[in-house]
Amino acid sequence: MLKKLRRVFSGKPEAGSAGVPAPVSNQPPMNDRLMDSSSSTRLRLDQARIVERDKHCISRKNISNAALKVLYTLGNEGYHAFLVGGGVRDLLLGNKPKDFDIATDATPEEIKRLFRSSRIIGRRFKIVHIRFGREIIEATTFRAHHGPVDEGDEPEAGDFRKLDSAHSSSGMILRDNVYGNIDEDALRRDFTVNALYYTVNNFRLLDFSTGFEDLENRLIRVLGDPAVRYKEDPVRMLRAIRFCAKLDFSMEENSRSCIDQFAHLLQSVSPARLFDESLKLLAAGFAQPTFVLLKQYRVGEYLFPDTMKLLSRGETPENKLVQLALRNTDERLAQDKSVTPAFLYAALLWPVLRDELQWHGPDSLPNLPEIQTAANTVIQRQIEHVAIPRRFTIAMREIWELQLRLQRRNKRSIESAFNHPRFRAAYDFLLLREESGEDLDQLGRWWTDFQNGDTKHKTELTEAFARSRPKRRRRSRKKSGTGE
């Protein structure tokens, strides 16, 4: 692998790419004005290792035309602009980037003036989205390092950093719109492999840390002191885990060793933001290895506490169902098929629902009101940690409720379940239950035959199914009162 990466990092000089815009400005090329103080912000490269074109493999033909247009437009207007972050990292690894991000010394307002199809978004971190059809290029102004300033502090005269930055008492960044130069911006990035910058001027690469070496060694390393960086933004712990799973990298010792110590800081992150992060973790094509790491570190306990507690009891059908759901999600995404978060979250919380209902066999079938009450309880506890949107919780409830209807052996329940809009998801969920080892008396095969049969065959199956209905054991109800 090291030899392969060394070949990747020693690409051939670029002869040009068809369809790629070229600079039209009369200004000198970027390498001649890296220290040009006439620019809007004096670019500094005190810490950068500059890699010439013949020493790396990135080619413009692998960069989207939209990203190139942003780079050239900013450059032609006198600004410094770089492709940065995951796009550069993935290009160096020989992968196809999902998106392209730009870092520049132009302010958000200056960027917006140059691109009509752009808009400034965010308050915590102000960025610009530039739209080209369906593609969105994200442009950010170079950020500067700054000391902690408490939210609510009154700024002193002339202290603009207090106006544009704020930290919580624990050190978490609440707002970060302090602008600086490229050296400072690089040190504000989370991991060394994301602190790599690419410029279309002479097609150079800039490495501000140990990014190249860490890519070769397949290592995720936090830039700076991991304890400080995790306090600034606890989500960085989740990002470190996500990149390890996605890239099949290991985590550098110092970056790894303090995750459990600071996992509790995730409680200070809004449940809405943790939902977004959970989607990146589990619905991006590498859910299985990610979930293994979530269980390995304590961070998983702050995302899905009830699920993690039950899964720690050992190998059970519910445990295996979660693993199968994660695997199927990865397989569908690898085949460019759609996935719904509702199905995945229904699987993740299925062990919790079963435990709440004490529903562990055919003789313990709950009734519909019991399922609805338990589902409300389980979801309410979960959204205190990860705020699953209502459109997904509604679908989760329907998938769970249909499990009962699919197991009922009467004509009315069969017709009601089959005609339900969520039938297909519930049927797939039923198959997962059987595959996980739950004994459902070949119910999945029956529903498969039912779907494939004609009207006559459906009638015959329904009648035979109804005749085979076992007597349902009544569930004993707890006595209320004095507890006698």
Side-chain angles (χ1 to χ4, degrees):
M1 180 57 70
L2 292 181
K3 291 181 179 179
K4 178 181 177 182
L5 280 173
R6 290 191 180 103
R7 289 198 300 270
V8 168
F9 288 136
S10 58
K12 302 296 184 182
E14 186 168 32
S17 303
V20 174
V24 295
S25 173
N26 292 325
Q27 298 185 32
M30 177 72 75
N31 60 301
D32 293 336
R33 53 191 178 90
L34 286 177
M35 299 297 291
D36 183 1
S37 60
S38 65
S39 299
S40 59
T41 301
R42 184 171 179 266
L43 191 70
R44 295 190 55 190
L45 298 170
D46 298 343
Q47 305 300 321
R49 166 190 172 191
I50 299 177
V51 182
E52 300 295 344
R53 175 61 190 93
D54 60 346
K55 299 300 182 182
H56 68 78
C57 67
I58 295 181
S59 171
R60 284 180 295 170
K61 67 183 180 181
N62 296 323
I63 302 173
S64 77
N65 282 341
L68 290 170
K69 184 174 182 179
V70 174
L71 290 170
Y72 280 119
T73 299
L74 287 166
N76 291 337
E77 291 295 326
Y79 300 105
H80 301 295
F82 296 83
L83 190 67
V84 68
V88 178
R89 179 199 67 223
D90 290 343
L91 287 170
L92 288 171
L93 290 173
N95 300 328
K96 183 178 180 180
K98 181 181 178 182
D99 46 41
F100 295 95
D101 297 335
I102 306 293
T104 176
D105 59 352
T107 66
E109 292 73 22
E110 289 169 334
I111 299 169
K112 191 173 188 304
R113 282 199 299 269
L114 292 176
F115 300 95
R116 295 178 59 186
S117 60
S118 64
R119 65 190 184 102
I120 299 173
I121 66 170
R123 295 176 57 189
R124 187 169 175 270
F125 298 100
K126 192 182 291 185
I127 60 178
V128 181
H129 278 180
I130 308 170
R131 182 177 292 277
F132 296 87
R134 286 189 167 185
E135 185 174 4
I136 293 178
I137 302 299
E138 185 174 290
T140 59
T141 306
F142 294 148
R143 292 312 201 268
H145 177 74
H146 51 86
V149 178
D150 293 338
E151 181 73 17
D153 278 2
E154 290 295 327
E156 299 173 3
D159 189 352
F160 296 104
R161 296 196 174 200
K162 284 191 176 182
L163 290 172
D164 291 319
S165 69
H167 290 67
S168 71
S169 58
S170 65
M172 186 173 72
I173 296 176
L174 302 175
R175 188 172 65 252
D176 182 11
N177 291 308
V178 177
Y179 304 137
N181 57 51
I182 192 171
D183 280 355
E184 294 172 311
D185 186 74
L187 295 177
R188 297 294 297 156
R189 301 209 166 256
D190 47 11
F191 307 109
T192 58
V193 295
N194 289 341
L196 298 165
Y197 293 68
Y198 171 84
T199 172
V200 291
N201 290 274
N202 279 2
F203 317 113
R204 288 172 163 177
L205 274 173
L206 280 67
D207 183 4
F208 286 85
S209 184
T210 57
F212 282 113
E213 288 79 4
D214 289 339
L215 280 176
E216 286 193 5
N217 295 324
R218 306 186 67 81
L219 205 61
I220 295 297
R221 183 194 306 270
V222 172
L223 256 174
D225 183 351
V228 174
R229 304 309 302 278
Y230 291 156
K231 288 179 182 179
E232 288 178 344
D233 186 1
V235 167
R236 285 188 178 125
M237 293 181 284
L238 300 180
R239 286 171 56 81
I241 287 171
R242 174 157 61 90
F243 287 135
C244 284
K246 175 183 178 180
L247 303 172
D248 192 23
F249 278 23
S250 300
M251 201 179 306
E252 182 267 335
E253 173 61 24
N254 291 332
S255 305
R256 179 189 61 81
S257 61
C258 60
I259 286 183
D260 285 351
Q261 178 185 353
F262 296 110
H264 69 278
L265 294 177
L266 288 172
Q267 295 177 103
S268 62
V269 180
S270 73
R273 188 180 178 208
L274 287 182
F275 171 76
D276 292 337
E277 292 300 325
S278 71
L279 280 185
K280 295 175 185 178
L281 288 164
L282 301 176
F286 39 92
Q288 267 193 305
T290 300
F291 201 76
V292 170
L293 293 176
L294 288 179
K295 290 197 295 183
Q296 178 179 333
Y297 298 101
R298 287 188 59 206
V299 292
E301 300 173 14
Y302 295 94
L303 294 178
F304 304 101
D306 293 338
T307 299
M308 293 299 183
K309 179 180 178 180
L310 291 172
L311 296 187
S312 66
R313 296 179 179 178
E315 194 63 31
T316 63
E318 292 85 0
N319 195 328
K320 190 173 181 181
L321 181 139
V322 170
Q323 299 302 321
L324 291 172
L326 296 170
R327 184 197 69 186
N328 288 359
T329 298
D330 290 344
E331 290 175 350
R332 288 184 63 85
L333 289 170
Q335 299 166 10
D336 291 325
K337 295 181 179 180
S338 62
V339 297
T340 170
F343 188 92
L344 184 56
Y345 288 114
L348 286 170
L349 294 176
W350 178 249
V352 188
L353 181 74
R354 291 281 293 254
D355 189 69
E356 182 72 21
L357 286 165
Q358 293 299 302
W359 177 8
H360 298 296
D363 293 337
S364 63
L365 277 179
N367 56 43
L368 188 57
E370 289 172 330
I371 288 182
Q372 291 171 336
T373 299
N376 289 337
T377 300
V378 168
I379 290 173
Q380 187 58 45
R381 288 205 305 260
Q382 176 59 45
I383 63 178
E384 293 175 1
H385 304 275
V386 175
I388 305 172
R390 187 169 181 268
R391 65 183 184 277
F392 296 137
T393 59
I394 290 174
M396 291 163 56
R397 287 185 179 94
E398 290 175 338
I399 291 172
W400 290 338
E401 291 169 8
L402 278 168
Q403 298 309 299
L404 177 62
R405 297 187 188 183
L406 292 173
Q407 288 185 249
R408 284 180 172 170
R409 306 190 181 211
N410 61 72
K411 182 178 180 180
R412 183 177 178 182
S413 291
I414 292 170
E415 291 179 350
S416 173
F418 186 64
N419 293 320
H420 195 284
R422 209 72 65 182
F423 167 76
R424 183 68 199 189
Y427 164 72
D428 289 342
F429 199 90
L430 181 74
L431 295 183
L432 279 187
R433 291 173 60 193
E434 285 194 328
E435 189 178 352
S436 69
E438 192 175 343
D439 183 9
L440 297 175
D441 194 21
Q442 296 187 326
L443 193 61
R445 181 176 180 179
W446 187 93
W447 276 105
T448 301
D449 292 342
F450 184 84
Q451 292 176 79
N452 296 331
D454 55 20
T455 303
K456 180 180 178 182
H457 188 53
K458 283 185 171 69
T459 301
E460 292 172 350
L461 285 171
T462 301
E463 291 175 351
F465 196 26
R467 287 195 300 269
S468 66
R469 181 173 64 179
K471 292 183 179 180
R472 184 172 181 269
R473 182 179 298 174
R474 294 181 61 87
R475 289 162 59 94
S476 59
R477 297 184 178 275
K478 296 181 180 179
K479 294 182 180 181
S480 59
T482 60
E484 296 179 351

